[in-house]
Amino acid sequence: MVSPVCSKQIGVLHKRFKQLSHNEETLRRDHFNEIDDLAFNPIRAQIIEAFFDRRNFHQNGEGKVQEIGFEEFVVVMSHFRPPSAHMTEEQRGKTRREKLRFLFNMHDTDNDGIITLEEYRHVVEELLSRSGTLEKETAKCIADAAMLEVASISVGHMEPDEFYEGITFEHFLKLLERFEIESRMIIRFLNMDTTTLCK
Amino acid sequence: KGKKTLFQHLVFLEGSVFTVAVASSDQHSPITAHSGSHKATDHGSHNNTGKAFPVLDLNYENVRVPFEISLWVLLASLMKLGFHLVPHLSNIVPESCLLIVVGLLVGGIIRGTGETVPPVLDSKLFFYILLPPIILDAGYFLPIRPFMENLGTILIFAVVGTLWNAFFVGGLLYGVCQIGTESSSILSRIGLLQCLLFGSIISAVDPVAVLAVFEEIHINELLHILVFGESLLNDAVTVVLYHLFEEFSGIGSVTLLKGFLGVISFFVVALGGVLVGVLYGILAAFTSRFTSHTRVIEPLFVFLYSYMAYLSAEIFHLSGIMALIACGAVMRPYVEANISHKSHTTIKYFLKMWSSVSETLIFIFLGVATVAGPHDWNWTFVTVTVILCLVARVIGVVGLTFIINKFRIVKLTTKDQFIIAYGGLRGAIAFSLGFLLNKEHFPEREIFLTAIITVIFFTVFVQGMTIKPLVELLAVKKKQEAKRSINEEIHTQFLDHLLTGIEDICGHYGHHHWKDKLNRFNKKYVKKCLIAGERSKEPQLIAFYHKMEMKQAIQLVESGGGIKMPSAVPSTVSMQNIQPRPSTKPAPERAIPQLSKNKEEEIRKILRTNLQRTRQRLRSYNRHTLVADPYEDGLSDLFLKKQKMFQIEKKMNTYLTVPAPPPDSPTMCRARLASDPQAYSIKPASNKVPMIQVDLASPQSPDSVNLLDEFGQANQQEEEEQGLMMKPPSRPREAKKPSEEDEAKDQQRLMRCLSDPGPSADEDEDGAFLP
């Protein structure tokens, strides 16, 4: 369970929620599509989907919803909360897992718990989609090389006729071990007051 | 072992001979002057046939200055050589200490022979010749991402920390001088302004010393960039304070207005310096756009523009160091996209060479200048200075970290603070600034100089020598040596976009938002102006991927022909393990599927653009009188070969019982290179070597058939796709098949032409404008 955000921050988020949903109770996908700044983002589709993904609501749910309430909005946002100053190693580990789980869910679009080569290729293609030129072949190469690397790191030794199914969550954790995600995947404005511990 | 010691003796002997030569060079001048005049009279009287024609003449005066300079540089380089020959010395003592000791010895020898020691660490020489290469090297290869992420912290340390140090040391020193000593002693005559000036000179952390020491301890990136960044950025503060106090002590009166102007001048100096640097950087980038026909002088532009930036900033009393850093950092992404591979290597090597020699010379000259004096040793002053410097630094760092940690995500621990405080080394900049002091305004100049030298010696020797064991003792995090993987690169980009998106959803314009805006602006307008041709559209991920491929290909060649592909993680996973396997695959279906004409054309076009781009990068060196480097010719083909190597290796490991011979280590390769007189012969256009000219005109070209056939038997299983591979729709079985042996010969020849061994991996150069 992730620790909830502070009341001050919730107030700010609530205001934003109301603004996005035009004072309705729930947010839908088209509300997100109205945000102009998102238009330039190559992975906007995935980001929007992440808000409607039940796996990110911390209730062990699966599948997608069509609209979300404020509570779910806050829960998704809480994934980007910075680590508080007095975390133990265990708490830090938990935060890491949570954030990496969020990323994993973004990649694993078909909910089967594995990122297959196709899904990974899709990720790289989306990343390069704004580059202007259609780089499908190179995107494939890059995804292939990346997959090869994951397989080498996670499994190590494979016979020529064995087949690597895809990246499981454990492999994903191992892959981004050195990535220091708990200090990088943060939105600073959710960190308005580090000295007080939020209850 | 005997040979080694003999060689060491020779080196030192040579060194000492040179120093004596330098010392006694002055003596020759009267003789040559005399003979010079003699010659003049000779020419005057032609009909005086009694004079013999001077077959062998001595005229040292003409070449004196360049000769002496070369001798010094040679001495420095020989010393550098010598230290690494002595087995354990470089582990215990940092190089900077040894070099100072050498300087002391040289100074001692010169003094011993009765000559006056030349004032080698002349401020002009130092600031205009010796310092710029080091700073440019640092600025050009500055890791932008960690620098920008920690910019706030660095600035606070540089500005506030230096100010605190200056005033603390200066003020307390004045107090001690006034109170602690008798009123008749020389110390009590030192005014407050002089003390403050001294404080500002001594308080600046020196980039040269920091670089010299920190490079050897391999500390983690964060601490390195904090201390190093601070040492670079505090130059602005030092310049302003120095001029301010110098001016004040000359005039003798301080008004509030002048103080206020001082604060304004700080901003002018800092921002002006950066602006000058950025301007020259843009000019350099723009110039490099048009250099595709004159590749040979590309590095020259980089050096010239940077040096001009430094000098221009110095004209206006702006911060030259900041100008240089800004120029290097700004021009780098654009210039590197424009210049050839060879120019890139040249720039790297020249910068490293110059900065290395400069650093060595600086430390040697420090030693010599110490012997030269003039000194005025005052126990009180010196000891108080040293103690105050240490205390000020510790208090400053601890206090500032307390404030800074409130704003940082990744807090600085006590260990970090200790290293930052301990790493505050002083160096030659302080000495040169002290040397510049005017004797009339500062009668106590000698006392200052002695104290400065003592502090420098203390920090470099004591702190420099003990920091390494302390780092070990405190178990400070070291630099991570592993290379950046493609997965991390993908996720770095992914995370950047994700965070920008979330910020947009929150409606919060945080620094991701602005960074993204800057990147888009850069891509849309700036890159188009400053980068030539197609390269301007290449996204960073692809550039990274190509670079990685190239590096792997180079590794492949160096490791002796790809018997075992050196990879970060030894594994036997190959491409076929990850390709999705269709459910049933009867044998006849294993033939290559027939491609439609359209698809084929599409693939060909994509491959052509991709491969051409890679080639463009490599084939840019075409000075027609020189030999074309065959290594570069074959490199793009290695891309294709490399993937095939995987298969070969796998098959060999599976079916052969005899293990493959271990590849030669890179050093062996270089040794072979060094002794090979044929290293740079022109590669004849022989058709024994399987040149894989990807002739996309026809799929049936004999060369492409070569490629496939060569590995045809080995490669039973078909893979669906292999990235940059071309698969012609049919596989005719005829045509020549180059044997394994030719393959090996090809590899060997490519290895022989490897012109670029060079220093160990320095991988932090990858990155876009805002990586």
Side-chain angles (χ1 to χ4, degrees):
Chain A
M1 256 287 279
V2 72
S3 45
V5 292
C6 280
S7 53
K8 209 195 298 185
Q9 300 166 13
I10 291 188
V12 176
L13 282 175
H14 191 74
K15 227 191 295 182
R16 180 65 180 169
F17 184 84
K18 283 283 181 237
Q19 199 181 23
L20 282 177
S21 67
H22 306 299
N23 281 327
E24 292 173 30
E25 287 299 318
T26 55
L27 274 180
R28 284 186 302 278
R29 286 192 178 78
D30 33 336
H31 290 134
F32 281 101
N33 288 333
E34 287 168 8
I35 305 176
D36 293 331
D37 296 315
L38 269 188
F40 295 111
N41 205 315
I43 54 170
R44 63 192 287 261
Q46 278 129 321
I47 298 179
I48 297 177
E49 278 309 305
F51 274 89
F52 294 93
D53 191 341
R54 274 225 191 90
R55 287 177 296 175
N56 292 331
F57 295 162
H58 289 260
Q59 289 159 3
N60 296 326
E62 280 204 359
K64 309 261 188 238
V65 293
Q66 290 307 313
E67 47 187 30
I68 54 170
F70 181 61
E71 209 183 295
E72 285 96 13
F73 185 68
V74 171
V75 170
V76 172
M77 280 300 186
S78 70
H79 283 100
F80 296 92
R81 205 167 164 272
S84 66
H86 313 279
M87 266 190 177
T88 64
E89 265 314 303
E90 192 194 315
Q91 281 176 321
R92 207 173 281 273
K94 244 198 285 187
T95 322
R96 281 195 81 237
R97 283 185 79 94
E98 239 164 55
K99 296 188 195 250
L100 283 174
R101 186 85 221 177
F102 186 83
L103 280 185
F104 189 81
N105 290 343
M106 281 183 85
H107 294 327
D108 181 22
T109 42
D110 60 0
N111 273 352
D112 60 357
I114 304 179
I115 306 178
T116 59
L117 184 62
E118 271 311 311
E119 288 168 344
Y120 213 40
R121 274 189 192 151
H122 184 69
V123 170
V124 178
E125 266 166 33
E126 288 295 305
L127 268 183
L128 293 176
S129 63
R130 295 270 162 186
S131 70
T133 46
L134 185 62
E135 300 279 357
K136 255 198 144 65
E137 284 298 323
T138 326
K140 267 205 195 109
C141 284
I142 295 177
D144 290 350
M147 203 66 164
L148 189 62
E149 202 180 62
V150 178
S152 314
I153 294 178
S154 319
V155 181
H157 184 81
M158 284 182 84
E159 296 304 318
D161 47 357
E162 272 184 72
F163 176 58
Y164 182 65
E165 292 289 334
I167 312 180
T168 63
F169 186 55
E170 292 308 320
H171 293 170
F172 195 66
L173 280 180
K174 194 164 172 205
L175 183 68
L176 294 180
E177 213 168 28
R178 288 193 304 123
F179 203 59
E180 289 187 8
I181 193 134
E182 61 268 19
S183 39
R184 289 171 81 159
M185 187 164 146
I186 307 171
I187 299 292
R188 215 173 254 264
F189 114 101
L190 290 177
N191 176 37
M192 287 154 79
D193 202 4
T194 39
T195 49
T196 65
L197 269 177
C198 299
K199 298 291 175 287
Chain B
K1 191 93 185 287
K3 243 199 230 176
K4 232 185 184 179
T5 47
L6 179 64
F7 186 62
Q8 288 166 25
H9 288 313
L10 276 177
V11 166
F12 286 127
L13 191 62
E14 242 184 306
S16 45
V17 165
F18 282 136
T19 57
V20 175
V22 166
S24 55
S25 62
D26 288 327
Q27 285 178 346
H28 286 295
S29 19
I31 303 176
T32 49
H34 184 65
S35 64
S37 61
H38 212 64
K39 258 222 226 149
T41 54
D42 266 350
H43 282 287
S45 45
H46 288 293
N47 40 5
N48 202 348
T49 52
K51 259 298 178 263
F53 185 76
V55 175
L56 194 64
D57 203 4
L58 185 71
N59 189 351
Y60 182 64
E61 198 53 40
N62 284 349
V63 294
R64 191 167 83 92
V65 172
F67 194 78
E68 284 179 3
I69 296 176
S70 311
L71 272 181
W72 278 112
V73 177
L74 195 56
L75 172 72
S77 316
L78 285 174
M79 285 303 115
K80 222 174 155 69
L81 264 188
F83 294 143
H84 290 283
L85 291 177
V86 180
H88 296 296
L89 201 57
S90 40
N91 288 343
I92 312 172
V93 188
E95 212 174 82
S96 39
C97 301
L98 292 172
L99 289 169
I100 295 185
V101 169
V102 167
L104 287 173
L105 283 174
V106 170
I109 293 177
I110 295 181
R111 186 166 263 187
T113 62
E115 296 296 321
T116 56
V117 181
V120 273
L121 202 56
D122 175 43
S123 293
K124 264 220 184 87
L125 172 75
F126 177 75
F127 278 115
Y128 296 139
I129 311 272
L130 290 179
L131 189 60
I134 303 179
I135 305 294
L136 180 60
D137 182 36
Y140 196 76
F141 294 114
L142 193 69
I144 299 280
R145 195 177 189 128
F147 187 75
M148 285 300 173
E149 280 176 10
N150 294 300
L151 191 62
T153 314
I154 294 177
L155 274 176
I156 291 187
F157 275 130
V159 177
V160 181
T162 313
L163 281 173
W164 157 261
N165 274 351
F167 282 101
F168 187 80
V169 173
L172 278 188
L173 209 53
Y174 179 66
V176 164
C177 287
Q178 291 302 110
I179 303 170
T181 63
E182 311 89 44
S183 54
S184 59
S185 117
I186 187 170
L187 287 186
S188 57
R189 272 180 267 140
I190 306 178
L192 176 62
L193 281 173
Q194 279 88 344
C195 278
L196 284 176
L197 179 59
F198 177 72
S200 70
I201 294 178
I202 199 90
S203 63
V205 178
D206 186 79
V208 180
V210 164
L211 260 181
V213 169
F214 268 51
E215 232 172 49
E216 301 183 4
I217 60 178
H218 298 300
I219 207 162
N220 70 52
E221 198 179 51
L222 173 66
L223 286 179
H224 186 244
I225 199 73
L226 282 180
V227 181
F228 184 58
E230 178 196 345
S231 69
L232 290 175
L233 294 187
N234 67 17
D235 180 61
V237 182
T238 313
V239 164
V240 170
L241 282 180
Y242 184 80
H243 284 126
L244 209 63
F245 290 134
E246 200 186 24
E247 171 114 356
F248 285 172
S249 36
I251 297 177
S253 72
V254 186
T255 65
L256 198 59
L257 179 66
K258 291 230 183 82
F260 184 63
L261 283 179
V263 171
I264 297 203
S265 88
F266 164 69
F267 285 106
V268 168
V269 162
L271 295 175
V274 171
L275 195 66
V276 167
V278 168
L279 256 149
Y280 274 97
I282 293 181
L283 273 176
F286 190 67
T287 312
S288 73
R289 188 180 163 186
F290 303 106
T291 55
S292 43
H293 299 290
T294 44
R295 293 285 179 187
V296 195
I297 55 173
E298 271 174 343
L300 199 60
F301 282 117
V302 171
F303 301 140
L304 281 176
Y305 275 110
S306 315
Y307 197 46
M308 293 280 289
Y310 182 75
L311 294 175
S312 309
E314 287 288 325
I315 294 177
F316 300 103
H317 275 311
L318 303 173
S319 167
I321 290 186
M322 291 184 82
L324 210 46
I325 302 278
C327 183
V330 163
M331 95 169 116
R332 190 173 162 211
Y334 307 109
V335 161
E336 286 204 340
N338 280 332
I339 62 178
S340 72
H341 187 63
K342 290 219 156 197
S343 297
H344 172 73
T345 312
T346 309
I347 292 178
K348 188 168 85 174
Y349 274 87
F350 262 82
L351 281 179
K352 298 282 178 207
M353 178 187 81
W354 272 332
S355 66
S356 179
V357 167
S358 266
E359 195 181 286
T360 316
L361 272 177
I362 287 177
F363 283 116
I364 292 186
F365 284 170
L366 256 181
V368 174
T370 310
V371 175
H375 289 300
D376 190 355
W377 181 270
N378 186 312
W379 274 104
T380 330
F381 194 78
V382 171
T383 46
V384 169
T385 309
V386 173
I387 296 176
L388 278 181
C389 279
L390 286 173
V391 168
R393 176 91 183 147
V394 170
I395 299 180
V397 168
V398 171
L400 284 176
T401 317
F402 181 70
I403 302 175
I404 289 174
N405 269 344
K406 288 205 173 36
F407 298 99
R408 278 182 69 90
I409 304 284
V410 179
K411 317 278 181 211
L412 293 173
T413 66
T414 324
K415 262 195 260 177
D416 294 337
Q417 292 171 39
F418 177 74
I419 296 290
I420 295 176
Y422 209 68
L425 306 172
R426 289 10 177 224
I429 290 186
F431 181 78
S432 306
L433 283 176
F435 207 75
L436 270 177
L437 288 175
N438 198 330
K439 183 80 179 176
E440 293 146 24
H441 292 163
F442 299 94
E444 53 279 327
R445 180 172 168 264
E446 269 110 43
I447 305 181
F448 284 177
L449 278 180
T450 315
I452 293 175
I453 287 193
T454 316
V455 172
I456 296 178
F457 270 48
F458 183 81
T459 55
V460 171
F461 277 90
V462 174
Q463 287 178 229
M465 275 204 274
T466 53
I467 199 169
K468 198 163 188 187
L470 274 175
V471 162
E472 302 283 335
L473 194 69
L474 293 175
V476 180
K477 237 193 315 175
K478 289 269 190 110
K479 184 153 78 157
Q480 287 172 331
E481 286 302 338
K483 288 195 183 159
R484 211 148 158 220
S485 73
I486 187 107
N487 275 298
E488 289 183 358
E489 181 70 23
I490 292 177
H491 279 97
T492 309
Q493 295 234 326
F494 191 82
L495 205 58
D496 274 344
H497 289 300
L498 173 63
L499 290 173
T500 312
I502 298 283
E503 277 190 1
D504 290 334
I505 292 178
C506 283
H508 167 69
Y509 286 167
H511 78 282
H512 281 107
H513 179 90
W514 294 117
K515 200 162 90 151
D516 188 58
K517 264 215 162 81
L518 190 59
N519 268 331
R520 269 188 281 130
F521 172 75
N522 181 33
K523 199 187 291 197
K524 201 161 173 204
Y525 299 112
V526 184
K527 270 192 181 172
K528 286 220 169 66
C529 286
L530 299 181
I531 299 185
E534 273 299 305
R535 189 69 43 76
S536 58
K537 297 209 200 72
E538 196 177 51
Q540 188 202 345
L541 190 57
I542 295 187
F544 180 84
Y545 177 65
H546 282 318
K547 254 198 191 143
M548 211 184 70
E549 287 276 88
M550 191 132 61
K551 277 183 191 154
Q552 281 188 337
I554 292 177
Q555 260 187 335
L556 178 69
V557 170
E558 270 190 354
S559 72
I563 301 296
K564 183 108 188 117
M565 173 74 189
S567 55
V569 177
S571 74
T572 55
V573 182
S574 81
M575 289 303 290
Q576 60 200 71
N577 290 114
I578 63 172
Q579 300 297 334
R581 191 184 289 161
S583 41
T584 56
K585 216 172 190 208
E589 267 189 37
R590 292 204 169 189
I592 310 172
Q594 295 282 337
L595 289 170
S596 70
K597 220 34 182 165
N598 284 347
K599 197 103 194 282
E600 199 185 293
E601 199 49 52
E602 209 182 86
I603 293 180
R604 227 176 273 151
K605 204 171 20 171
I606 292 172
L607 285 176
R608 196 196 331 255
T609 42
N610 274 332
L611 286 175
Q612 268 187 3
R613 193 181 296 148
T614 323
R615 235 183 215 193
Q616 198 181 329
R617 211 180 183 117
L618 302 170
R619 278 191 179 289
S620 38
Y621 182 80
N622 53 3
R623 179 111 198 268
H624 60 277
T625 50
L626 283 179
V627 168
D629 192 334
Y631 171 59
E632 281 202 331
D633 281 343
L635 192 57
S636 58
D637 310 326
L638 280 173
F639 284 122
L640 305 169
K641 274 198 181 178
K642 187 199 70 157
Q643 301 212 331
K644 291 301 186 180
M645 285 304 170
F646 273 118
Q647 317 316 320
I648 285 271
E649 172 215 39
K650 289 204 56 37
K651 290 304 160 189
M652 278 171 62
N653 286 344
T654 324
Y655 295 130
L656 299 179
T657 51
V658 178
D664 284 344
S665 63
T667 33
M668 289 271 296
C669 286
R670 275 178 236 148
R672 214 180 318 140
L673 266 183
S675 56
D676 188 14
Q678 296 244 323
Y680 295 93
S681 58
I682 302 180
K683 179 169 158 184
S686 86
N687 40 16
K688 275 213 226 131
V689 178
M691 283 294 293
I692 307 164
Q693 300 290 349
V694 185
D695 178 27
L696 301 168
S698 89
Q700 250 82 333
S701 73
D703 289 316
S704 58
V705 167
N706 271 350
L707 168 62
L708 268 193
D709 253 5
E710 183 182 329
F711 304 103
Q713 300 105 359
N715 199 358
Q716 296 301 327
Q717 188 169 1
E718 281 317 314
E719 291 90 25
E720 276 184 6
E721 294 132 325
Q722 295 228 336
L724 291 175
M725 295 301 313
M726 192 178 90
K727 284 224 166 57
S730 57
R731 260 211 295 174
R733 288 250 163 222
E734 84 285 4
K736 43 191 172 159
K737 302 181 219 174
S739 58
E740 277 295 354
E741 163 218 314
D742 275 322
E743 170 83 69
K745 216 197 285 186
D746 171 37
Q747 290 300 337
Q748 235 186 345
R749 198 173 260 148
L750 287 170
M751 247 170 29
R752 277 193 193 154
C753 305
L754 200 61
S755 51
D756 188 335
S760 47
D762 48 356
E763 285 353 298
D764 236 16
E765 318 162 18
D766 308 337
F769 180 64
L770 282 182

